[in-house]
Each structure stands twice: as structure tokens, then as C-alpha cells.
Amino acid sequence: EFHLALLVLQTALIGAVCSLDVLLFYVFFEAMLIPMYLLIGVWGSEERQMAATKFFLYTLVGSLLMLVALLAAYFLAAPAGSRSFDYSTLYNGLMALNREVAACTAAGDCNNISAGAAALHRWGPLMFIAFSIAFAIKVPMFPVHTWLPDAHVQAPVAGSMILAGVMLKMGTFGFWRFAVPFFPVAARQYQVIISLLAVIGIVYGALMCLAQKDIKKLIAYSSVSHLGYCMLGMFAFTSEGATGSAYQMLNHGISTGALFLLFGFLYERRHARLMADYGGIARVMPVFTAFFLIVTFSSIAVPGTNGFVGEFLVLLGSFKSNLPMAFSVAA
């Protein structure tokens, strides 16, 4: 049953990434909640039911907001008779309206535009917010991140690896593929707000890591910080920031997944999560410790590791786009 749930989760994740139909993406986006809920709630640790329920409710509420905005986009993007949930049809229809909105906004007169563009000008920001909330919860961004530490701590090792390595990227993938391309004008309007939340998440996640005694909770809060870099680079709207954001998604999946895997070896033998319980482990497991140290260096972006490349590109792109926020992260 455990491996069946794991395989169903992987199927939903692959389906969400490969979907060329937006409604099908939504189905897969929701479907991945069920196997992850079972993985945490059935095979998790002591407080697994609380963590599973919290995870399920957080992500479900955000997804329902996205469904409302998705249906609104469906009716706006094309006239009656040619409406479709096909990604290219929705994208092309919304882009034509967005060009009208951008032109009238630049001219300062949005009274003489088409009905569809007028509706997008009025409701587009709210639709972008609905998409953003759904994906921000999945990332997760500050302040809707509180489900992640509980989910990571209570999940089995395989669940934590899939959650950190792939499932969290559904949030950043959603921003890349849906929220920003569908509503570029609104994305520009909220660029500063989302960048500010990303910076807060980076700093907050790092400070919370310093306060942790539980290894899995420490890795979980480091994910909040790392994915804040992904969002900061994405909303820098520069080529360097976008490249760094995409590369950091890959880096985080490898580094954090490896940390959960390596700690999983220890947890299966000791069933303890506190760092104090593993003092002096380098003396008895030197090779294991060396691998753990290399992966940790990768996670904290030491120069010469994969994590450094992604974060450096994000900061480089952010310095070009928003100097104060990039400087606050670098400092």
C-alpha cells in the first residue's frame, strides 16, 4: 500500500507537468494531495494525522481559488463557440487581451477598449492573486508556509524526499507556466509585493533554521529559504534571475532530497530526530559523514557547489531589477 501511494503520487506529479490542458493540470494538481495525505497520515510519525490534515486543508483551499480564476480565464480568453481549456488557446486569447490592457494602461486611457480587455483590466489582478495564492501555498512562501515543517517532520523518509524534491516545485512551476504568462500585467503590478515576501521567506527560513534542534524541521525551514530564492529570481524579470530560479529549483530538489535520504538512514536505525542524539557520529561513520557534509555544503551554497550557481544568478538578476531587496538578501 505504501508503494502504491508513492507511485500514484508520482503519476499525478508527472501528469501535472506534462498536461497541455489547463483543466487536466488542475485535476492532477488536486490528485497529488490524496496519496501524499495517505503517506503522511498512515505511515508518518507520532503527530501524523494533524500534519496530514493541515497539509490537505491548506493546499485544497488555495486550489479552489485557482479553479474559480481558471474558469474566469476560460470565459474571458475566447468568444463563445471557440472556448477551450487547451493551454495554447487560453494563452493566446489572454495575451491578446493583455496587450490591449498594457497599451491602454501606458496611454492612461482604458475607456475605449474591447469588453474582454476591460474585464481583464478590472478582474485580472484578482485572478492573478487567486492563482498566486494557490501556488504560493504549494511553494510554500511566507506567510502560508506553516504546513511544511509539520508535513516534513511527520512524513516518512520517502514522502519527505518526494515532497521536497518534486512536489514543492509544483508551486514554482505554476508561477512559471500559468500565473505569470496568463497575467503579465498583473504580475508586474505585484512584482514588489511578491519579491518582498520572497525576501522575508529567505531571511525568516534561515533564522528559523538556527533555532531548530530537530534535524527534519531544520531541513524543512531551509526549504522555505531556498524556494524564496526561486521566487525572488523569477520575479526579478531578468534573464539571469529566471535562469537562477530554474536552476535553483533543480539544485534544491537534489540537495534537500539527498539530506532527507541520508538522515533517513540514521532515523531507520535510531528513530531519533534531535541533533543532540547524533553527537560524535563522524568517529564511527566517517564516509557517511563526508557525504553528509558535501550535501550540506551544497545546500548552504558554498562556492564550487551546485547551490552556489543558482543563488548567485538569482542575486545577479535581482541586483539588476530590484537593488534594495537583493542587497537585503546578500547582507
Side-chain angles (χ1 to χ4, degrees), residues 1 16 18-19 33 35 51 58 63 81-82 133 138 161 164 171 202 206-207 210 217 252 279 289 306 325 327:
E1 292 87 355
C18 296
S19 296
L33 302 183
Y58 257 82
S63 300
S82 60
I133 290 174
K138 189 73 81 174
M161 289 177 64
I202 292 169
L207 292 176
L210 296 176
K217 191 167 282 190
H252 175 264
T289 305
N306 61 342
M325 292 192 186
F327 182 78

Side-chain angles (χ1 to χ4, degrees), residues 31-54:
M32 67 182 71
L33 302 183
I34 301 169
M36 181 54 77
Y37 175 85
L38 294 175
L39 285 171
I40 299 173
V42 177
W43 294 281
S45 301
E46 304 84 14
E47 299 180 9
R48 55 187 180 273
Q49 292 182 354
M50 177 275 296
T53 304
K54 191 174 181 180

Side-chain angles (χ1 to χ4, degrees), residues 164-166 168-177 226-255 306-315 317-318:
V166 187
L168 299 185
K169 309 308 179 297
M170 289 298 105
T172 48
F173 171 78
F175 275 104
W176 268 104
R177 188 162 172 80
H226 288 149
L227 287 158
Y229 274 100
C230 295
M231 294 303 301
L232 181 64
M234 189 187 308
F235 277 83
F237 294 130
T238 59
S239 58
E240 295 88 350
T243 304
S245 175
Y247 194 53
Q248 187 62 15
M249 293 179 210
L250 173 65
N251 294 337
H252 175 264
I254 294 172
S255 303
N306 61 342
F308 175 77
V309 180
E311 293 188 11
F312 179 78
L313 283 171
V314 166
L315 288 175
S318 299

Side-chain angles (χ1 to χ4, degrees), residues 83-168:
R83 289 170 181 154
S84 171
F85 282 108
D86 177 69
Y87 180 84
S88 59
T89 302
L90 270 177
Y91 174 76
N92 291 332
L94 289 171
M95 278 307 296
L97 298 177
N98 275 302
R99 280 191 285 268
E100 278 193 68
V101 173
C104 82
T105 303
D109 180 18
C110 290
N111 295 320
N112 300 314
I113 55 177
S114 66
L120 186 64
H121 178 64
R122 181 179 181 183
W123 299 108
L126 291 178
M127 294 161 67
F128 174 75
I129 289 172
F131 271 89
S132 297
I133 290 174
F135 297 135
I137 290 172
K138 189 73 81 174
V139 169
M141 291 182 68
F142 178 91
V144 288
H145 67 283
T146 54
W147 63 269
L148 182 67
D150 292 325
H152 267 318
V153 168
Q154 302 303 324
V157 174
S160 292
M161 289 177 64
I162 293 291
L163 182 61
V166 187
M167 197 167 180
L168 299 185

Side-chain angles (χ1 to χ4, degrees), residues 68-82:
V68 174
L70 180 59
L71 293 174
Y74 168 79
F75 286 108
L76 273 179
S82 60

